Amino acid sequence: MLFSRLRGLPVLTPGEGIRLGVVRALTVDAASGTVTHVRVRRGRLRGDAVLAWDALDAVAPDMLLAAPSSVLSVVPPHHDLLGRRVLTEDGEERGTVLDAAFDPLTARIEAVLTTIGELPAERLLGLGDHALVVRGRRTARGRGRSG
């Protein structure tokens, strides 16, 4: 599933189908390569809510299901992945993030789609205010070799 396909989807409660809001963004832990939280826009006056990804009851192509009790009171830090500049650990520019593919069952990121190509999730190092930092090509190749 692509990040961009989740944006704007309704987040409903199971059973009653009460609308908690719509998906605004996903929070990523780049070091582990996983989606950790969902940012939900509840309305202009109510602000955003945050749900842990593993607290979701279901993820479907047209909605997400979550219990109202799964809304977190302590909000973890967040940096948007989409639109973020991509830099290697050596400071080499590698484009801008257009989208990311992930498995909604495991929350594992499969690939990051950039303006200059696709990056496998194994290359992700960190995500901050300034950029998504990835392993350079030489470093990434070297990690796959034993000995």
Side-chain angles (χ1 to χ4, degrees):
M1 181 171 274
L2 294 174
F3 275 35
S4 61
R5 292 211 176 127
L6 283 183
R7 275 190 170 172
L9 286 183
V11 180
L12 307 172
T13 61
E16 308 85 33
I18 298 169
R19 186 180 174 114
L20 296 177
V22 297
V23 176
R24 182 180 68 76
L26 300 177
T27 299
V28 170
D29 176 9
S32 69
T34 59
V35 175
T36 59
H37 296 86
V38 179
R39 306 270 165 171
V40 178
R41 176 159 288 131
R42 296 188 296 184
R44 196 173 296 176
L45 300 176
R46 295 182 61 204
D48 289 353
V50 178
L51 308 167
W53 184 265
D54 57 8
L56 294 175
D57 292 325
V59 178
D62 57 347
M63 75 177 101
L64 280 67
L65 294 176
S69 60
S70 60
V71 174
L72 300 175
S73 57
V74 176
V75 178
H78 172 77
H79 303 285
D80 274 324
L81 179 62
L82 301 184
R84 188 68 57 200
R85 183 176 172 200
V86 181
L87 296 173
T88 67
E89 59 201 327
D90 300 322
E92 179 186 348
E93 184 82 31
R94 299 298 304 150
T96 302
V97 176
L98 297 173
D99 215 334
F102 75 106
D103 181 336
L105 295 176
T106 64
R108 301 248 354 125
I109 296 174
E110 296 166 345
V112 175
L113 312 172
T114 75
T115 52
I116 60 173
E118 185 176 306
L119 291 169
E122 298 79 40
R123 290 184 54 191
L124 304 181
L125 290 174
L127 177 63
D129 290 332
H130 184 63
L132 170 66
V133 179
V134 299
R135 285 183 186 84
R137 291 180 202 190
R138 289 183 191 163
T139 307
R141 276 190 227 124
R143 289 179 51 88
R145 297 181 185 154
S146 58

